[in-house]
Amino acid sequence: MNQLDHTQDILRQLIAYPTISADSNLQMIEYLADYLDHVGADVLLNHARDGTKANLFATLGQGHENGVLLSGHTDVVPVADQDWSHDPFDMVERDGRLYGRGTCDMKGFIAACLTKAQDYAKLPLKTPVHFAFTYDEETGCIGAQGLAKLLQDQGITPRLAIIGEPTRMKAIEGHKGCCEYTTHFHGKAGHGSMPDIGVNAIEYAMRYGTKLMDIAQDLQGRAPENGRFAPPWTTLNIGRITGGHIHNVIPENCSMDWEFRPVQDADFSYVKNTIETYVSDTLLPEMQRRDPNANITTEIVGEVVGLEPTDQNEARDIVLELTGQNHADVVPFGTEAGIFAALGMSVVVCGPGSIEQAHKPDEFIDLSQLDACLSFLTKLESKLAA
Ligand SMILES: [Zn+2]
């Protein structure tokens, strides 16, 4: 069987595991572990605290240092409320495309990695090849953060990482961070005709939201010169507000989901400090004067650091060389790359399929993209073999 057919067979299996971030990925992890174990890799599983999900980290070759890491996430975004023309977890081939949830984001890359693992296992490897397959990327790179800790604890220090998110195999050397929060406003209920006896949670949420929008304005003025992102500043978005009951009841609870995407570390601290100060100096004292139990708490859903482009980047240079591209780009979406970069690896994002199709109904990957990925991973052998 040729490698593209083999990859397609693996991908069909991977798509059949409905690894929506909210659900367990253990069956898929078990499949990946069996497969990699079978080709001779050392396989480590790293479970989430509640045991329902796991990261997989596998190594071909000897040693803990200097390795090349291929990384992908196992989770996919939900399909509920999306209009699919077929079962999203039963892969369909049509007109040179493979349709199914996760085909491009990013089980196609994982399938290609598994196919090539068989070849890598036969090479006289000069440095180890690692495979990192994580959980909960789509909900804030939770799994990758656990994996990073595992690597640190075990003293595993790969020198470079390739993150196979869908970039149509273009080399990506930078992206913004992505920080997501849910802020809860706890007030005090009462009759709507007597606002003074209660603490209106929605009122404080609105003031908090207004402050966030002021910060969003400031961020535009803080954009670095010659920024390469589109837009070049840190963006901020309020995505959801829920709270209250009915016209005439003072709402005691309200919550707000919001996010920002820092282009630089300084903006990360600016946003957090500014909003925290507003809460502690203005909103909270007012609320608690009226009811000492009133409160505002913020839950961190995920704080994913960005990938800042750097002059020196071996991972990027290897991808450019092997794919014949002459420059690397930046993208507006977040990945696990910054987490690996923080461990000291040089990191590039490069994978098959297009982000245009990710997260949408009838998600697909072009077979030609899978083929291009296989051919890249084959050329990579020249960098791995002694
Ligand atoms: Zn992805």
Side-chain angles (χ1 to χ4, degrees):
M1 192 188 280
N2 75 37
Q3 293 208 317
L4 186 56
D5 289 343
H6 185 64
T7 305
Q8 213 174 314
D9 279 354
I10 295 174
L11 184 53
R12 180 169 292 106
Q13 307 240 33
L14 299 184
I15 297 302
Y17 298 114
T19 50
I20 293 168
S21 309
D23 302 327
S24 171
N25 73 342
L26 291 182
Q27 283 189 325
M28 175 171 165
I29 287 291
E30 208 172 297
Y31 170 88
L32 298 172
D34 279 353
Y35 185 104
L36 288 164
D37 182 63
H38 194 72
V39 300
D42 284 329
V43 179
L44 285 175
L45 296 189
N46 168 236
H47 284 84
R49 232 175 260 145
D50 71 359
T52 62
K53 296 172 190 171
N55 295 309
L56 176 150
F57 186 79
T59 302
L60 286 167
Q62 299 303 311
H64 277 176
E65 290 159 25
N66 226 16
V68 171
L69 173 72
L70 300 173
S71 172
H73 61 81
T74 61
D75 58 320
V76 295
V77 295
V79 294
D81 304 325
Q82 289 191 344
D83 192 15
W84 282 73
S85 48
H86 60 84
D87 178 354
F89 300 107
D90 186 7
M91 193 174 84
V92 170
E93 182 181 355
R94 201 168 59 223
D95 306 329
R97 292 171 170 174
L98 302 173
Y99 289 85
R101 171 55 84 225
T103 43
C104 88
D105 189 12
M106 55 183 291
K107 291 177 174 178
F109 177 74
I110 297 179
C113 286
L114 293 195
T115 298
K116 289 305 299 177
Q118 296 184 331
D119 296 333
Y120 296 163
K122 292 176 197 140
L123 294 174
L125 292 168
K126 63 179 174 191
T127 58
V129 184
H130 308 286
F131 301 93
F133 300 137
T134 57
Y135 65 86
D136 281 357
E137 189 270 350
E138 299 289 3
T139 50
C141 297
I142 316 292
Q145 294 174 40
L147 185 76
K149 189 166 181 321
L150 173 86
L151 298 189
Q152 279 180 317
D153 291 350
Q154 305 243 344
I156 302 171
T157 54
R159 80 176 191 286
L160 65 92
I162 299 169
I163 317 294
E165 289 278 358
T167 67
R168 292 196 70 79
M169 296 308 294
K170 281 204 56 77
I172 301 300
E173 60 176 334
H175 62 70
K176 296 181 181 184
C178 184
C179 302
E180 299 180 324
Y181 308 91
T182 300
T183 300
H184 302 279
F185 304 85
H186 310 277
K188 187 180 175 201
H191 194 282
S193 63
M194 291 183 283
D196 288 350
I197 63 162
V199 180
N200 189 316
I202 291 179
E203 178 190 327
Y204 286 95
M206 286 168 66
R207 290 171 63 184
Y208 186 94
T210 303
K211 185 70 180 179
L212 287 179
M213 290 297 95
D214 288 346
I215 293 172
Q217 276 297 321
D218 297 346
L219 289 168
Q220 292 196 25
R222 295 170 53 91
E225 265 178 56
N226 308 318
R228 291 166 63 196
F229 296 106
W233 53 81
T234 295
T235 58
L236 190 152
N237 181 59
I238 299 173
R240 185 168 75 153
I241 299 181
T242 43
H245 308 282
I246 193 170
H247 309 72
N248 58 358
V249 175
I250 298 170
E252 63 181 326
N253 288 306
C254 185
S255 63
M256 181 181 290
D257 294 350
W258 59 282
E259 55 131 53
F260 70 101
R261 296 172 183 250
V263 295
Q264 51 195 348
D265 280 349
D267 285 351
F268 175 79
S269 355
Y270 175 73
V271 173
K272 295 205 55 159
N273 294 341
T274 310
I275 196 69
E276 274 165 21
T277 306
Y278 183 61
V279 168
S280 62
D281 292 3
T282 306
L283 296 185
L284 262 189
E286 267 186 45
M287 288 170 88
Q288 292 180 342
R289 231 181 349 257
R290 296 163 68 176
D291 180 39
N293 294 321
N295 207 354
I296 297 175
T297 55
T298 291
E299 200 183 310
I300 300 172
V301 178
E303 286 183 331
V304 177
V305 285
L307 178 65
E308 290 200 44
T310 52
D311 292 343
Q312 298 261 323
N313 184 333
E314 188 194 359
R316 171 200 62 202
D317 294 347
I318 286 178
V319 169
L320 292 179
E321 180 195 331
L322 296 181
T323 60
Q325 298 168 51
N326 54 24
H327 75 284
D329 281 333
V330 299
V331 290
F333 57 88
T335 77
E336 300 173 333
I339 296 172
F340 293 112
L343 295 179
M345 296 175 219
S346 75
V347 184
V348 67
V349 184
C350 176
S354 167
I355 197 73
E356 290 286 308
Q357 274 83 52
H359 300 196
K360 291 190 180 152
D362 291 342
E363 175 180 347
F364 69 84
I365 190 167
D366 288 312
L367 275 166
S368 60
Q369 280 291 303
L370 269 191
D371 208 28
C373 181
L374 285 168
S375 107
F376 164 71
L377 292 173
T378 301
K379 288 179 186 152
L380 187 63
E381 290 175 17
S382 65
K383 304 289 176 189
L384 305 172

